[in-house]
Amino acid sequence: MNRQSTILPLEEVDLTNCDREPIHISGQIQPHGVLMAVSEPELEILQISENTQELLGIAAKSAIGQNLSLFLEQAQLEQLKACLLNENLKTINPIKISVKKAETILEFDCILHRWEGVLIIEIELAQSLENLSVFSFYHSVRSTVSQIQNAKNLNKLCQLTVSEFRKITGFDRVMIYKFDSEYNGAIIAEHKAETLSPFLGLNYPSSDIPKQARKLYLLNWLRLIPDINYKPVPIVSPNNPVTNQPLDLSFSVLRSVSPIHIEYLQNMGVAATRNI
């Protein structure tokens, strides 16, 4: 099937057709980071998000066709190349990189993945200069892990999970959502701020999370929206030059989400979300 035939312009998406919205090829990202699609092994920038002037000090259009050395010092570039020797980039994500901006060096958290013939690099300004290893993270949450492992039943397991996850993240509300065989959903566990109305026990029809959105949850378990009122940033040169199709953002952490989903979250009174 021709992928182009399913594309619905954003202004035409509504509740009657959102199950056909091609959210994995939106051509947009959230503005708190920069996304680049580069060739290997040349590391030539093929596509890049339009917000590079603001975050990196270089206009996006001028970056197209340039080498990553446009942003990275030689030592940093060699370090990145060493990371790219790993076939499974999940084993090294996230990494720290230093990016040149005028006369300063900025520290970024970086996530790498390969898809449809290109290397996709996503960077966000680092909140900490330290690398947090899997082992140090486990050490910080080992009490939580122990409690969850010792849960006597599913209900206890779910309630412990939302409670401990809320302690780690600081979110006002954490929920576990369960699908039935027809993909209708229910909130089966919740931990929240006392001032919030409960969602525990509420049920939702399958149409609330369309088929293509459920598919993305299975492909990419992590989705973050730090600010649901964000303005999407377009990707310069929207088509992947390898496939001559819109860049597939299925595994992107910065991917812009459906405007219908944003409206849904606004109606819930939510300001930011993290889905795992």
Side-chain angles (χ1 to χ4, degrees), residues 220-266:
N220 187 354
W221 290 8
L222 181 63
R223 188 191 67 198
L224 304 173
I225 309 176
D227 178 5
I228 68 162
N229 296 310
Y230 72 88
K231 183 178 180 181
V233 173
I235 296 172
V236 175
S237 185
N239 279 8
N240 176 345
V242 176
T243 63
N244 199 31
Q245 297 285 346
L247 184 65
D248 190 328
L249 300 175
S250 295
F251 296 94
S252 165
V253 296
L254 291 173
R255 175 180 61 84
S256 186
V257 302
S258 167
I260 294 293
H261 182 61
I262 292 298
E263 183 178 356
Y264 191 102
L265 294 175
Q266 289 171 337

